Amino acid sequence: MYARLLLMMGLMLSASSLWAQGKVSGRVVDSEGKPLPYATIVGTIPQEAQAFTGATSDEEGYFTLAFPRNGKYQITIEFIGYQSYKKTIEIAGKDIQLGTITLRQDAQALEEVEVVAEKEMMQTGIGTLTYEVSKDLVNAGGSATDVLRNIPSVQVDENGALSLRGSQNVTILINGKQSALTGTSRQAVLERIPASSIERIEVITNPSARYDADGGAGIINIILKRPKDRGLNGTAQLSIGNYDRYNAGVDLNYQTPKWNIYGSLNGRQDTRIGNITVRRENFLPGTTPFLNQDWDFYRMRRSGTATAGIEHFINDKHSLRLEGVYGLDDSYQNRTVYNASLDANRQLTDYFYRYSWEDENENNYGVSLNYDWRIKGSDHSLSAYASYNQNWETQGSDFEENYFLADGSSNGEDFFQRSSNNNNNGMWVFQVDYKRPIQKNMKLEAGAKSIIREINRDFLLQDRLSNEWVTNTGFSNEFRYQEQVHAAYGLWAARMGKWEMEAGLRVEQTYTESKLLNTGETFRLDYFNLFPSAAVVYNIDDAKKVKATYSRRINRPSFRDLNPFRSFSNPLVQRSGNPFLRPELTHSAEIGYQQDWDKFNITVNTFYKYTQDVIQGVLGQQKGDTVVYFPQNIASSQNYGGELILNFQPSRKLNWNISGSYYRLIIDGSNLDESVLNDAYAWDVRTMLTLSLPGDWRLQGNLFYRSPSATAQGTRFAFFMNGIGVSKKVLQQKGTLSLNVRDIAQSMRFGSERRTDALYNYFEFRGNTRTIMFSFQYTFGKQLKRRQNRNRNGGFDGGDFDGGEGM
């Protein structure tokens, strides 16, 4: 009880004021030299036995106490499950460095420990957000895609594609780095990762020069679970849901003072059933006036991921980590497309059915080696990283088309096609980062990074003519893509009283080469870019601050966007790449305000983004009724608006979060066509309520609404979803039972409409989105319960990640 009172009083009195007579600094570690984050450090006046000042240690165990006047004080350091440390000091106008303080475990306290506070589900900062996935009951048993739909400013469409504040130029990382799991698609990773294997998700909307410049909208970092407690421990989880959905996994960890061995195995099966409605009106002469399409599809996907790693703590300065990951994905899909042609009076003239059966297999693996060096008690560090990732994807499809007149009679011979698609993606990453304090409140950072990628795609389409399979040369192609990105950066950061500043510059040289082997064409594009970043924070007091950031970023076209050969799953809608695409360049600025109260906090962010050479998919009319969807560089876009995040926790039993954003998107594609212009406002709001009930029960519900938003040639429809989840602790707190229902109202639909001088196109997607999942998770081994106070990433970092493993 005394320790709790000291903590509460100490935190209320803590401050780092300019008028302090002296400061006391140090670092708290355990008997094995591991940092103890969120340890309680309190300064008391011995004669009065009351807290005078206080603080908590950061993620690396460092702390600083400020004393406003000279005198003798007693320093008390406490951490749940460890013996207390006490020391008497005298402040005489000078700073005191206590060095590294080692706390010993208290065996009796470990058996009786009570966790009195825990991390919030959503920890917000100005331009940053950390989402604790383990506290998300609604999406237990789901995937990373499902979890991301709960995060403010993030939207996920029907294909799993992400957008952040209305922009899809988002970079996805795993543990802060590129991963073999992502394959050839930025979004492919999301469906493969079960929510149960994710520790947290970090979102940063305006990264500094320290990080890759790719991703104009920002970065989403998925941090996977990796137990850190000593001894043997882990978790096992099983989820069962409707539509044959299953999810199972186990995470294990064994740690000694010198070694840490860990591994995980996860498997997932997911079934999607849905339908697509397309309504098109053609305006050009010689085309069918009206076309109606209705799709029905079924997709079953099985995926699995295995991770293993070994970490060696050579001494208190050096450590090595070797990690490997292997993933596989097997899916089956069948589709039925009904296409009806109507005359000017909307009377049926003819129709056809197109059936398709598709098998897809994907394998990927990655291996990485990480070296870390750090001077104890200092922010002086060096890290080096190297990895190789390989991804293989094979896809085979069979197609059949049957043609009929309006009266149901045959309208020609049935048509048969088949296709095969082989993708091979290899990627090397080399990286080194160095940090060095140059003064007490100033530091420099520098680093370099190289990414070398090669992608091979072989696509073969064959038509059956006179009972023989004949290669369709108009669609078959062999495409090779090579990309090298070499980067270096420098960063300066300083703290001056209430002001914190950071300025950085990143330089990147990019080399790309695309080859079409069947035509002999080669396309090269090399470019050099400078990416400055800056951030300024003014700490009004301990509870209020204002922050402004700026960065320049890039969005490189993907190899799919560059391949000029066409592909299709619908004979009337084709997709083509564009080998002449240029990268997008974005200027991004944000200003935010953050304030904390005892039971309430608020974060307000305003943002502005200006993008040149925007890559947009444009729909164009081709021969007859066929249209082609192809990417083009349009002149520019502007995106600006505001974001509000509120967290309210009136008691330990209730937590309420509500967030919303309002923004304007202006798309200027007048360099292509006056129809590629749009100017629209959009907004979204979401809320989540979590209630702790007697008997270790927890209840959670969420709602999300997104208004219609603009595209280059039209509008994306509004979107609404909701969900509810409940959980209960069992088996002496080691087990958790949970049940959730997503999309209770079956309101999730995705759709859009486009209008050009040639046509009007309406699209709508609906799926089996009302899902019910039952999950059980069990934790075993020696689990050390630690006090976890709220951490709002208050230190100055230019808006970077609150954790992870760097980049």
Side-chain angles (χ1 to χ4, degrees):
M1 178 63 72
Y2 176 69
R4 295 182 191 174
L5 290 174
L6 288 179
L7 171 63
M8 294 174 63
M9 298 178 67
L11 290 177
M12 288 189 292
L13 293 170
S14 63
S16 298
S17 305
L18 294 172
W19 43 268
Q21 292 294 324
K23 297 180 181 179
V24 176
S25 303
R27 191 186 189 206
V28 187
V29 300
D30 61 13
S31 58
E32 297 173 0
K34 296 293 184 183
L36 294 178
Y38 315 120
T40 304
I41 303 96
V42 178
T44 61
I45 301 174
Q47 299 85 349
E48 301 178 12
Q50 68 181 30
F52 190 80
T53 186
T56 58
S57 59
D58 63 16
E59 292 280 356
E60 296 297 328
Y62 295 102
F63 68 88
T64 298
L65 286 180
F67 292 85
R69 61 173 182 262
N70 295 329
K72 288 187 177 182
Y73 300 92
Q74 180 173 281
I75 303 295
T76 301
I77 302 176
E78 294 186 338
F79 191 83
I80 294 296
Y82 287 77
Q83 298 176 4
S84 299
Y85 168 91
K86 294 184 179 181
K87 183 180 179 66
T88 301
I89 61 168
E90 183 172 358
I91 298 296
K94 294 183 178 180
D95 294 345
I96 298 175
Q97 176 57 251
L98 295 180
T100 301
I101 299 161
T102 302
L103 300 186
R104 308 293 176 184
Q105 286 191 0
D106 187 333
Q108 181 177 359
L110 279 173
E111 299 299 324
E112 300 174 353
V113 65
E114 176 188 2
V115 179
V116 298
E118 60 181 13
K119 284 186 179 180
E120 297 173 348
M121 174 183 292
M122 195 177 299
Q123 302 167 56
T124 59
I126 300 174
T128 63
L129 184 144
T130 302
Y131 189 81
E132 298 293 330
V133 178
S134 62
K135 301 181 185 303
D136 188 339
L137 304 182
V138 174
N139 291 301
S143 66
T145 301
D146 301 312
V147 175
L148 283 165
R149 289 192 172 106
N150 270 354
I151 297 179
S153 297
V154 177
Q155 296 92 33
V156 186
D157 70 11
E158 71 277 11
N159 296 314
L162 281 177
S163 60
L164 182 60
R165 293 175 175 171
S167 172
Q168 291 191 356
N169 302 330
V170 184
T171 294
I172 299 174
L173 303 171
I174 300 176
N175 293 332
K177 296 179 174 66
Q178 289 86 358
S179 169
L181 295 177
T182 58
T184 56
S185 169
R186 294 178 179 178
Q187 286 79 36
V189 64
L190 302 177
E191 284 293 337
R192 297 193 187 110
I193 299 181
S196 59
S197 67
I198 304 173
E199 180 178 331
R200 65 185 184 276
I201 295 177
E202 302 167 333
V203 179
I204 175 171
T205 55
N206 214 7
S208 72
R210 180 187 300 114
Y211 304 108
D212 288 353
D214 197 23
I219 296 172
I220 292 178
N221 188 26
I222 300 174
I223 303 297
L224 303 180
K225 290 179 179 177
R226 197 175 77 194
K228 300 177 182 179
D229 293 311
R230 281 166 281 296
L232 178 64
N233 53 82
T235 59
Q237 185 264 348
L238 174 66
S239 299
I240 301 174
N242 58 341
Y243 300 109
D244 292 324
R245 295 184 177 184
Y246 306 97
N247 182 5
V250 61
D251 297 273
L252 294 172
N253 184 82
Y254 180 73
Q255 187 175 134
T256 69
K258 286 290 186 180
W259 296 91
N260 182 37
I261 302 172
Y262 59 92
S264 66
L265 183 65
N266 291 282
R268 176 176 169 79
Q269 176 175 300
D270 184 68
T271 302
R272 299 295 171 96
I273 303 170
N275 59 76
I276 296 173
T277 301
V278 178
R279 299 290 181 262
R280 191 202 304 174
E281 183 177 359
N282 293 316
F283 305 137
L284 296 181
T287 60
T288 302
F290 297 96
L291 292 171
N292 293 342
Q293 284 192 346
D294 293 286
W295 300 43
D296 292 309
F297 70 88
Y298 167 89
R299 189 193 72 185
M300 189 274 292
R301 167 180 282 176
R302 295 189 181 98
S303 60
T305 305
T307 303
I310 183 168
E311 194 169 10
H312 179 39
F313 311 110
I314 302 171
N315 52 39
D316 60 354
K317 292 183 180 179
H318 306 274
S319 67
L320 281 172
R321 183 173 74 251
L322 178 66
E323 183 174 282
V325 59
Y326 176 77
L328 55 87
D329 193 299
D330 181 21
S331 65
Y332 168 78
Q333 179 173 262
N334 64 58
R335 290 188 294 257
T336 300
V337 180
Y338 167 75
N339 184 91
S341 300
L342 289 76
D343 60 21
N345 296 319
R346 296 184 184 269
Q347 297 299 309
L348 179 66
T349 59
D350 59 82
Y351 63 93
F352 70 81
Y353 285 96
R354 180 177 176 87
Y355 305 95
S356 64
W357 302 267
E358 178 182 295
D359 288 293
E360 183 176 347
N361 297 280
E362 187 170 352
N363 292 269
N364 45 69
Y365 75 86
V367 61
S368 63
L369 180 64
N370 202 100
Y371 165 75
D372 287 298
W373 171 85
R374 179 189 292 272
I375 293 181
K376 200 171 183 178
S378 169
D379 198 25
H380 193 182
S381 65
L382 172 73
S383 66
Y385 171 82
S387 71
Y388 177 71
N389 297 320
Q390 183 72 50
N391 172 271
W392 297 275
E393 180 182 349
T394 61
Q395 179 183 0
S397 302
D398 292 285
F399 307 94
E400 178 183 346
E401 291 184 13
N402 308 134
Y403 304 96
F404 303 92
L405 295 173
D407 60 5
S409 61
S410 177
N411 187 23
E413 295 183 3
D414 296 340
F415 183 63
F416 298 88
Q417 286 182 321
R418 67 184 184 186
S419 69
S420 64
N421 186 10
N422 297 306
N423 291 323
N424 185 359
N425 175 20
M427 181 176 67
W428 286 94
V429 179
F430 304 95
Q431 179 177 339
V432 61
D433 297 281
Y434 179 69
K435 296 181 182 180
R436 182 180 180 87
I438 55 175
Q439 292 182 13
K440 182 178 179 181
N441 293 318
M442 192 177 299
K443 68 177 180 179
L444 290 177
E445 297 184 37
K449 184 175 184 178
S450 289
I451 302 175
I452 302 171
R453 185 197 306 267
E454 181 172 346
I455 301 174
N456 301 323
R457 180 183 186 268
D458 297 339
F459 180 76
L460 175 65
L461 179 68
Q462 293 181 308
D463 303 328
R464 196 171 79 179
L465 303 175
S466 301
N467 292 322
E468 292 185 3
W469 289 106
V470 179
T471 298
N472 188 322
T473 56
F475 290 92
S476 301
N477 69 94
E478 297 181 40
F479 185 68
R480 304 289 183 265
Y481 177 70
Q482 294 179 329
E483 179 185 81
Q484 295 186 36
V485 181
H486 304 287
Y489 74 90
L491 200 68
W492 169 87
R495 186 190 302 265
M496 301 177 184
K498 293 186 176 183
W499 290 92
E500 299 169 3
M501 292 158 285
E502 181 182 270
L505 178 65
R506 188 179 188 92
V507 296
E508 291 189 354
Q509 174 67 57
T510 303
Y511 302 99
T512 68
E513 182 179 86
S514 305
K515 292 182 179 180
L516 283 170
L517 300 189
N518 48 331
T519 65
E521 295 176 275
T522 299
F523 308 91
R524 290 186 176 90
L525 181 62
D526 303 335
Y527 45 93
F528 176 81
N529 296 103
L530 299 177
F531 300 101
S533 70
V536 178
V537 178
Y538 179 69
N539 296 289
I540 302 171
D541 54 37
D542 289 345
K544 298 188 290 290
K545 67 178 176 181
V546 179
K547 182 176 180 179
T549 61
Y550 165 80
S551 70
R552 187 173 188 248
R553 301 188 60 75
I554 192 171
N555 179 50
R556 299 180 178 88
S558 70
F559 89 101
R560 297 180 189 274
D561 290 331
L562 295 170
N563 187 354
F565 265 78
R566 296 181 183 178
S567 61
F568 64 92
S569 57
N570 177 349
L572 298 182
V573 181
Q574 301 175 1
R575 190 191 188 283
S576 172
N578 180 357
F580 301 103
L581 283 177
R582 300 180 301 276
E584 299 180 353
L585 290 170
T586 299
H587 295 272
S588 176
E590 295 189 25
I591 299 177
Y593 173 79
Q594 181 178 306
Q595 181 166 355
D596 294 336
W597 289 272
D598 183 30
K599 299 177 180 180
F600 179 76
N601 61 69
I602 181 174
T603 302
V604 180
N605 293 309
T606 59
F607 58 89
Y608 175 82
K609 293 182 185 292
Y610 176 77
T611 303
Q612 297 170 294
D613 291 327
V614 179
I615 299 173
Q616 277 276 325
V618 177
L619 197 63
Q621 189 83 29
Q622 295 299 111
K623 182 179 179 181
D625 295 332
T626 302
V627 298
V628 62
Y629 182 83
F630 59 101
Q632 294 282 309
N633 286 113
I634 66 174
S636 65
S637 72
Q638 296 181 68
N639 183 8
Y640 60 88
E643 176 184 67
L644 176 67
I645 304 175
L646 305 174
N647 285 295
F648 181 54
Q649 190 169 8
S651 71
R652 291 177 55 197
K653 304 292 185 183
L654 179 63
N655 183 275
W656 181 39
N657 169 272
I658 184 169
S659 63
S661 61
Y662 183 82
Y663 54 89
R664 182 184 184 186
L665 181 61
I666 304 173
I667 299 174
D668 179 8
S670 56
N671 59 312
L672 299 179
D673 191 300
E674 290 300 326
S675 67
V676 190
L677 290 170
N678 213 334
D679 184 353
Y681 294 87
W683 58 277
D684 61 66
V685 61
R686 73 187 78 206
T687 183
M688 177 176 291
L689 185 69
T690 305
L691 181 64
S692 297
L693 303 172
D696 290 323
W697 286 89
R698 291 180 73 220
L699 181 66
Q700 187 179 91
N702 69 352
L703 295 170
F704 171 64
Y705 174 80
R706 184 192 68 207
S707 75
S709 56
T711 63
Q713 295 172 304
T715 302
R716 184 177 294 113
F717 295 155
F719 174 84
F720 174 73
M721 61 170 285
N722 55 10
I724 189 169
V726 61
S727 72
K728 177 175 173 54
K729 292 286 187 180
V730 295
L731 302 177
Q732 299 180 338
Q733 304 287 317
K734 293 185 176 181
T736 303
L737 291 169
S738 61
L739 176 69
N740 65 64
V741 183
R742 295 194 297 270
D743 193 24
I744 301 171
Q746 289 188 300
S747 57
M748 288 177 64
R749 70 158 186 163
F750 301 90
S752 64
E753 59 181 3
R754 293 172 179 263
R755 181 179 292 275
T756 71
D757 294 335
L759 59 87
Y760 166 80
N761 194 81
Y762 172 94
F763 166 87
E764 181 179 305
F765 169 92
R766 288 184 180 271
N768 58 332
T769 52
R770 180 192 284 171
T771 60
I772 303 171
M773 295 291 293
F774 175 78
S775 302
F776 173 69
Q777 180 172 296
Y778 183 75
T779 302
F780 54 90
K782 181 181 179 181
Q783 299 289 322
L784 178 62
K785 298 181 180 179
R786 299 178 178 177
R787 180 190 303 269
Q788 300 200 349
N789 297 301
R790 185 173 70 190
N791 178 17
R792 295 184 52 79
N793 196 19
F796 176 60
D797 56 11
D800 299 329
F801 296 130
D802 178 25
E805 300 186 26
M807 294 174 59

